Amino acid sequence: MCHILVIGAGITGITSAYELIKMGYQVTVIDQHLYPAMETSFANGGQLSACNAEVWNQKATVLKGLKWMSQKTAPLLLNPAFDLHKYAWLVEFLGNIKHYEANTRDTVKMALLARKRLFAIAEQEQLEFNLEKRGILHFYHSKQDYEVAMRVNDLLCTGGLERHAVTVDEIKTIEPSLTGQYYAGFYCPSDATGDIHKFSVGLAKACKKYGVRYLFGMQVSDIQPHAQGVKVVYHASPENMQQDVNSLQDLQVDAVLVCGGVGSYHLAQRLGDRVNVYPVKGYSITVNLHDAQSQQNAPWVSLLDESAKIVTSRLGQDRLRVAGTAEFNGYNRDIRADRIQPLIDWVNRNFQLCTESVIPWAGLRPMMPNMMPVVARGKRERIFYNTGHGHLGWTLSAATAVMISQQIGRQHPI
Ligand SMILES: Cc1cc2nc3c(=O)[nH]c(=O)nc-3n(C[C@H](O)[C@H](O)[C@H](O)COP(=O)(O)OP(=O)(O)OC[C@H]3O[C@@H](n4cnc5c(N)ncnc54)[C@H](O)[C@@H]3O)c2cc1C
């Protein structure tokens, strides 16, 4: 039987492992962490958001970004220190402005397919992950921002999305807990939210039941494709206290699927492939809703404040996830207090709920300069990629997992 090694146990790796084991492959998943979904798939914004499928390669977004660079609490932060990878990425990002419309439309289509597949998997495997099918509400604070958004909405709708304009009164009817001042908005009733970490852990368990084998706490250090297969060399990661980090082990497989998040860049480099994923850092807070009043006053409908670039997801009765910020600062994973505070302030400004207990988190979005995931074979015939999902990995992964598994199926039949 054909044996596939999946590198990475985040949302892209676990959904891929699921599709592959269901097709009849022998599947092993390797990850440097001791458990699934411990990196970017740990505490993201929670939105399954076809409505957020717009790619960022647009002149207006670039101009806004430049304006934000001078503001300390702005949603975008660029460390100007020279770094070749970062600046090469930014140049490539600008070069993709010409593909803005086509890539946005393709992302919508992929997101709609993904949503359908993710709901089906969740139902089939009986996964509990605080799924809320209450739609996503975008709101704007100025006429100018709203008028730009109307053009974006037309584009999203050409991709097949059901999303309509709403007035201030309708905003407050859809989500009565909102207490701020707004100009107008858009509502996408078919979008949803859920806890990516709970989903990934639940699906990883289901995969194990179907026969997927895991190598947790193991870091891949080399991948050597050869005529009959691929030799993968790995060692215990520093957090693996049970094994010697200096002793190398290896595994022979028929093909490798790289789902390494921000680690995919270096893994691809070793294989002679260019997968130009850059780590775009974001932050989230999880507000613990301990008291009855906070539980009542926290939103259930998922929100996207387009001026602040902040999203929310209600994760069950007693948690509210709030996320935002795009920071270009390399692989730095520090949780900065001055980036967390604007998220807390935003909650205090928009809702009457207690922010005494808040869990901060930071993660690195694996982002391609054209904002499109890499779902393809590499230069070598036994190497595949499903990575680079940027700000939409939770939204898109169920579709890209099917796409890459089908490609593997065509090239390496079971
Ligand atoms: C603040 C924030 C908010 C977000 N909000 C949303 C949202 O609302 N909706 C949405 O759709 N998306 C959102 N995203 C994006 C989404 O979370 C990511 O796109 C997604 O989690 C990426 O999944 P992944 O599997 O590619 O990467 P990861 O989850 O990072 O998994 C990659 C795995 O590969 C492993 N790995 C890498 N290299 C090696 C190696 N050499 N050896 C062994 N293991 C290795 C890592 O340990 C890691 O576990 C958000 C992201 C952030 C940061």
Side-chain angles (χ1 to χ4, degrees), residues 7-13 30-33 35-49 196 218-221 259-264 267 280-284 311 313 323-325 361-366 386-396:
I7 304 178
I11 188 69
T12 58
I30 188 165
D31 199 293
Q32 61 205 352
H33 295 296
Y35 314 98
M38 295 305 285
E39 286 205 2
T40 319
S41 306
F42 186 75
N44 76 355
Q47 292 190 326
L48 293 160
S49 47
I196 186 173
M218 294 296 179
Q219 197 169 346
V220 173
S221 47
C259 300
V262 295
S264 301
L267 288 166
V280 180
K281 191 174 177 181
Y283 294 83
S284 78
V311 304
S313 291
T325 309
W361 174 80
L364 302 176
R365 301 177 184 92
N386 179 18
T387 192
H389 295 57
H391 69 309
L392 287 177
W394 177 218
T395 302
L396 300 178

Side-chain angles (χ1 to χ4, degrees), residues 161-206:
L161 189 70
E162 179 207 344
R163 186 173 182 259
H164 58 266
V166 286
T167 62
V168 182
D169 288 345
E170 286 167 328
I171 287 177
K172 296 202 173 177
T173 308
I174 293 167
E175 184 42 72
S177 68
L178 282 166
T179 58
Q181 299 295 315
Y182 315 104
Y183 179 77
F186 290 97
Y187 181 51
C188 180
S190 52
D191 269 339
T193 53
D195 185 327
I196 186 173
H197 184 251
K198 280 190 181 177
F199 180 92
S200 305
V201 171
L203 190 60
K205 272 193 197 142

Side-chain angles (χ1 to χ4, degrees), residues 145-166:
D145 282 352
Y146 187 66
E147 280 172 358
V148 174
M150 281 170 79
R151 290 195 290 275
V152 177
N153 192 56
D154 290 344
L155 178 59
L156 293 173
C157 293
T158 62
L161 189 70
E162 179 207 344
R163 186 173 182 259
H164 58 266
V166 286

